[in-house]
């Protein structure tokens, strides 16, 4: 399928030698339905020949009204709703949600439950990073690499299924703890499989660092400076690949992360596609360390707090380091069995702000690889902008801000 030209504008060149020369800029739509993406999003790409001169990011095609639905269901029902926001980060969403409710009541969960949550989250991070490496290989036309990574990812999915009974939507977290234990036989089985998985990390590190085709498609392309990453609140591995030293697991510990010290936050400096890929691979080593420590030190005890305090009028915030970055839930209670307000800010929602920056000045052929390098998850990102048709007043500024950023006015 080819991109169809839907708009063409003429701009006068101000070159001192060719004052009357006319220059044509083409606008190409990528999405909302396009073979490039499985999810429906729209990028209006402005081109001067094959060079990208600007990008308008339009989101909202997958908006499902999750926050509104959460305000119409009770606290327990919302656990299963939160888990279905994203199929890749379902464990992160459920943990972040239950933490927000636990913070409303100052409820402390047992140590064993905290460790089990950590184990699930790190397994989820590993399968998400494997998926990312496969997608990056696919976007560069390396189908064999795509199949290798997804084959290795199956080892992680098998572990998650053995622990929870599910490959997606594990239904492990609940308010006050976890719903299922990890038997000793399962714990030993996962520990025995870890060395084989770590050995595969070595293979992918070698491929992505030394393959000449990959280096040509990734080095020096899609640059994001640390200043821009800080300015637009970029999150997670994308931030750390540009020199930002921030990780919720270390800087605002949750679950059992505050008790496990045998790992470090990886920070790359180059800020290009190659740095973002290497960032993910090196983080997989640290996830394996965390996973091994959590499994070896898994304490005995209860799975769930024995007492549940009543929820009064209060507000609370919860943070989790998802595979894509900082995930935030904000909850407000009015004393009933349903939240008065739930607000969810996913890392991809922040990272979308980087697209106009890292795409500008690049070649159209590199667009799929550049967009894929920030590991966007559109299904949990989408928001809507409400406009009063009588006054043209904008009620929310999410999509409008992205558009202004693409025009260089952010």
């Amino acid at each position: 399928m080819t991109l169809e030209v839907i708009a063409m504008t003429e701009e006068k060149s101000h070159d001192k030698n060719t004052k009357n020369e006319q220059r044509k800029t083409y606008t190409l739509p990528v999405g909302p339905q396009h073979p490039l993406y499985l999810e429906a999003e729209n990028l209006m790409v402005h081109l001067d020949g094959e060079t990208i001169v600007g990008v308008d990011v339009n989101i909202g095609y997958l908006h499902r009204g999750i926050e509104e639905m959460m305000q119409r269901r009770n606290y327990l029902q919302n656990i299963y709703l939160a888990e279905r926001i994203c199929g890749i980060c379902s464990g992160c969403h459920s943990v972040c949600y239950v933490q927000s409710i636990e913070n409303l009541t100052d409820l402390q969960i047992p140590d064993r439950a905290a460790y089990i949550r950590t184990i699930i989250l790190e397994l989820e991070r590993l399968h998400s990073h494997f998926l990312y490496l496969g997608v990056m290989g696919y976007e560069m036309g390396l189908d064999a690499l795509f199949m290798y990574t997804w084959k290795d990812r199956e080892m992680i999915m098998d572990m998650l299924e053995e622990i929870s009974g599910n490959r997606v939507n594990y239904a492990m977290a609940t308010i006050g703890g976890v719903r299922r234990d990890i038997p000793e036989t399962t714990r030993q089985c996962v520990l025995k499989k870890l060395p084989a998985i770590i050995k595969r990390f070595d293979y992918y590190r070698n491929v992505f660092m030394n393959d000449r085709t990959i280096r040509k498609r990734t080095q020096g392309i899609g640059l994001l400076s640390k200043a821009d990453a800080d300015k637009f609140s970029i999150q997670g591995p994308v931030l750390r690949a540009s020199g930002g030293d921030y990780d919720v697991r270390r800087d605002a510990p949750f679950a059992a992360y505050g008790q496990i010290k045998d790992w470090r936050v990886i920070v790359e400096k180059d800020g290009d596609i190659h740095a973002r890929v290497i960032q993910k691979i090196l983080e997989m080593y640290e996830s394996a360390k965390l996973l091994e420590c959590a499994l070896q030190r898994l304490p005995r005890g209860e799975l769930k707090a024995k007492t549940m305090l009543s929820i009064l009028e209060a507000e609370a915030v919860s943070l989790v380091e998802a595979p894509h970055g900082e995930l935030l839930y904000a909850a407000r209670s009015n004393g009933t069995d349903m939240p008065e307000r739930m607000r969810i800010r996913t890392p991809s929602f922040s990272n979308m702000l980087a697209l106009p920056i890292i795409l500008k000045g690049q070649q159209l052929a590199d667009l799929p690889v550049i967009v894929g390098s920030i590991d966007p998850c559109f299904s949990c990102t989408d928001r809507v902008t409400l406009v009063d048709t009588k006054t043209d007043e904008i009620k929310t500024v999410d999509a409008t801000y992205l558009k202004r950023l693409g025009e260089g006015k952010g």
Side-chain angles (χ1 to χ4, degrees), residues 269-325:
K269 303 292 185 181
D270 293 340
D272 56 7
I273 298 175
H274 193 255
R276 291 192 275 275
V277 175
I278 299 303
Q279 175 75 32
K280 292 265 191 177
I281 295 173
L282 297 181
E283 286 191 2
M284 293 168 80
Y285 286 96
E286 302 306 315
S287 286
K289 290 179 186 176
L290 278 163
L291 184 57
E292 184 176 22
C293 288
L295 286 165
Q296 289 177 341
R297 303 174 189 176
L298 184 61
R300 297 181 181 276
E302 300 292 332
L303 298 180
K304 186 178 177 181
K306 292 183 178 179
T307 58
M308 178 64 187
L309 303 178
S310 58
I311 298 178
L312 306 175
E313 293 187 15
E315 294 182 352
V317 171
S318 171
L319 295 177
V320 162
E321 181 70 25
H324 303 85

Side-chain angles (χ1 to χ4, degrees), residues 132 136 140 208-209 214-226 228-229 234 236-244 267-281 354 357-359 362 366 369-375:
Y132 170 82
M136 289 303 292
M140 288 184 276
F208 279 97
M209 292 191 75
I214 292 176
R215 292 171 69 93
K216 279 185 173 293
R217 294 296 306 274
T218 58
Q219 287 187 326
I221 298 173
L223 287 168
L224 177 67
S225 67
K226 184 179 183 298
D228 283 336
I234 306 304
V238 181
L239 168 67
R240 294 190 286 274
S242 294
V267 178
E268 292 289 302
K269 303 292 185 181
D270 293 340
D272 56 7
I273 298 175
H274 193 255
R276 291 192 275 275
V277 175
I278 299 303
Q279 175 75 32
K280 292 265 191 177
I281 295 173
I357 301 168
I358 63 179
L359 284 170
Q362 304 300 316
D366 290 324
V369 186
I370 296 173
V371 174
S373 72
I374 71 167
D375 200 8

Side-chain angles (χ1 to χ4, degrees), residues 81-359:
L81 184 58
E83 199 163 39
R84 283 153 180 80
I85 291 175
C86 177
I88 299 172
C89 308
S90 59
C92 293
H93 279 277
S94 62
V95 168
C96 200
Y97 168 75
V98 297
Q99 280 185 174
S100 69
I101 307 307
E102 290 159 0
N103 291 342
L104 282 174
T105 61
D106 293 325
L107 184 64
Q108 299 296 319
I109 68 172
D111 284 346
R112 187 173 181 88
Y115 272 80
I116 291 175
R117 285 185 184 180
T118 302
I119 290 166
I120 293 294
L121 292 177
E122 290 310 311
L123 284 171
E124 189 170 68
R125 191 180 319 279
L126 285 175
H127 98 69
S128 176
H129 284 11
F130 266 127
L131 184 149
Y132 170 82
L133 296 179
V135 169
M136 289 303 292
Y138 173 80
E139 297 292 5
M140 288 184 276
L142 304 173
D143 288 354
L145 182 59
F146 168 81
M147 294 176 185
Y148 276 135
T149 54
W150 280 48
K151 177 185 176 182
D152 293 331
R153 178 174 172 262
E154 283 300 303
M155 292 189 287
I156 307 297
M157 304 305 291
D158 289 343
M159 291 179 185
L160 285 166
E161 186 175 9
E162 190 169 353
I163 292 172
S164 69
N166 295 312
R167 289 165 56 88
V168 184
N169 301 338
Y170 323 110
M172 289 290 286
T174 189
I175 298 172
V178 294
R179 297 178 67 234
R180 295 181 181 86
D181 199 1
I182 298 180
E184 179 61 21
T185 53
T186 302
R187 186 182 75 89
Q188 292 293 341
C189 181
V190 175
L191 279 171
K192 287 179 181 178
K193 291 180 179 179
L194 273 179
I197 295 172
I198 295 172
K199 189 175 180 180
R200 297 303 295 165
F201 299 166
D202 297 335
Y203 169 77
Y204 294 116
R205 182 178 182 179
N206 179 60
V207 168
F208 279 97
M209 292 191 75
N210 298 317
D211 185 275
R212 286 188 295 175
T213 300
I214 292 176
R215 292 171 69 93
K216 279 185 173 293
R217 294 296 306 274
T218 58
Q219 287 187 326
I221 298 173
L223 287 168
L224 177 67
S225 67
K226 184 179 183 298
D228 283 336
D230 291 338
K231 179 179 179 181
F232 297 108
S233 299
I234 306 304
Q235 305 290 336
V238 181
L239 168 67
R240 294 190 286 274
S242 294
D245 188 6
Y246 175 73
D247 191 307
V248 179
R249 295 173 294 174
R250 182 197 63 192
D251 299 319
F254 58 97
Y257 290 107
Q259 304 175 49
I260 302 174
K261 307 298 183 182
D262 303 333
W263 68 288
R264 64 191 180 94
V265 175
I266 303 296
V267 178
E268 292 289 302
K269 303 292 185 181
D270 293 340
D272 56 7
I273 298 175
H274 193 255
R276 291 192 275 275
V277 175
I278 299 303
Q279 175 75 32
K280 292 265 191 177
I281 295 173
L282 297 181
E283 286 191 2
M284 293 168 80
Y285 286 96
E286 302 306 315
S287 286
K289 290 179 186 176
L290 278 163
L291 184 57
E292 184 176 22
C293 288
L295 286 165
Q296 289 177 341
R297 303 174 189 176
L298 184 61
R300 297 181 181 276
E302 300 292 332
L303 298 180
K304 186 178 177 181
K306 292 183 178 179
T307 58
M308 178 64 187
L309 303 178
S310 58
I311 298 178
L312 306 175
E313 293 187 15
E315 294 182 352
V317 171
S318 171
L319 295 177
V320 162
E321 181 70 25
H324 303 85
E326 182 188 80
L327 173 64
L328 180 147
Y329 272 62
R332 183 168 71 236
S333 168
N334 57 5
T336 67
D337 65 341
M338 295 188 295
E340 181 181 15
R341 181 72 172 97
M342 288 298 303
R343 179 72 174 94
I344 305 166
R345 206 259 348 253
T346 64
S348 289
F349 183 72
S350 297
N351 291 346
M352 292 282 283
L353 300 175
L355 285 179
I357 301 168
I358 63 179
L359 284 170

Side-chain angles (χ1 to χ4, degrees), residues 371-392:
V371 174
S373 72
I374 71 167
D375 200 8
C377 180
F378 295 122
S379 65
C380 61
T381 295
D382 276 347
R383 303 293 183 265
V384 293
T385 297
L386 305 177
V387 179
D388 189 326
T389 56
K390 295 182 179 179
T391 64
D392 290 332

